[in-house]
Amino acid sequence: MRMAAYSFLTTWHLDAPIDRVYEVLKESGDYPRWWKGVESVEMLAHGDEHGVGQVDRHAWRSALPYTLVFDARVTRVEELRLIEAQITGELEGIGVWRLFAGEGTAVVFDWRVRTTRTWMNRLGPIARPVFIWNHDRVMAAGGIGLARELGVRLLASS
């Protein structure tokens, strides 16, 4: 069976300096505290001093009645600028956080994944709009939660 592929680009603009935003994003184990939809993050392997090689198991659930579990292995880090992870499990692909300093911080998340669950792949052609809507809700909650965690305003989210 062919896996359904999805590509998302999410942008958050926060009224916070880049170093504070980066420090929160790199601590994925804390996501469940501030990001609605993240049920758990369990560290499976430690990375190097920059986090490269770290593996975390994520469990995400939102408005739809299912939980997605996947592992994220950090493959590249550019301090204050980029965190990239290879995704395996019920999703496969790549996720990249990019941060840009300016008037506050712009965070761009590039998520390119394929579903591996049989039922999702079977329903993909008709349920795709619902899966996209669900992803957008999760990411909107992330922007709101990150701003709250930092104690700043979320200036824009898309």
Side-chain angles (χ1 to χ4, degrees):
M1 171 167 290
R2 187 173 171 192
M3 290 188 279
Y6 298 87
S7 180
F8 300 101
L9 202 58
T10 301
T11 303
W12 301 328
H13 184 192
L14 298 140
D15 189 18
I18 196 167
D19 59 330
R20 289 192 56 221
V21 176
Y22 178 81
E23 287 302 315
V24 173
L25 288 177
K26 78 175 189 172
E27 297 300 330
S28 57
D30 293 337
Y31 288 7
R33 184 180 70 237
W34 58 264
W35 193 333
K36 183 180 177 182
V38 183
E39 288 190 331
S40 65
V41 177
E42 174 191 0
M43 183 184 292
L44 302 179
H46 291 278
D48 67 12
E49 67 274 8
H50 303 289
V52 175
Q54 179 173 322
V55 180
D56 293 324
R57 176 155 297 148
H58 293 249
W60 293 69
R61 185 179 182 96
S62 63
L64 298 179
Y66 63 85
T67 299
L68 281 175
V69 178
F70 58 87
D71 294 347
R73 175 181 300 277
V74 177
T75 55
R76 185 168 62 136
V77 173
E78 295 175 21
E79 191 95 7
L80 301 179
R81 294 183 21 200
L82 178 141
I83 303 168
E84 179 181 283
Q86 187 69 39
I87 309 305
T88 57
E90 294 179 335
L91 296 175
E92 291 183 354
I94 191 165
V96 182
W97 291 111
R98 287 186 175 82
L99 288 80
F100 302 91
E103 301 230 357
T105 301
V107 177
V108 178
F109 184 59
D110 187 0
W111 187 237
R112 297 170 193 255
V113 293
R114 296 172 306 283
T115 55
T116 64
R117 293 176 86 173
T118 302
W119 72 267
M120 291 183 86
N121 290 326
R122 284 200 175 124
L123 287 177
I126 57 172
R128 183 178 195 83
V130 176
F131 293 157
I132 291 169
W133 168 83
N134 193 57
H135 171 83
D136 291 346
R137 280 186 58 134
V138 167
M139 294 309 292
I144 292 165
L146 179 56
R148 189 175 300 126
E149 177 74 4
L150 291 164
V152 302
R153 291 181 302 137
L154 178 62
L155 301 172
S157 179
S158 61

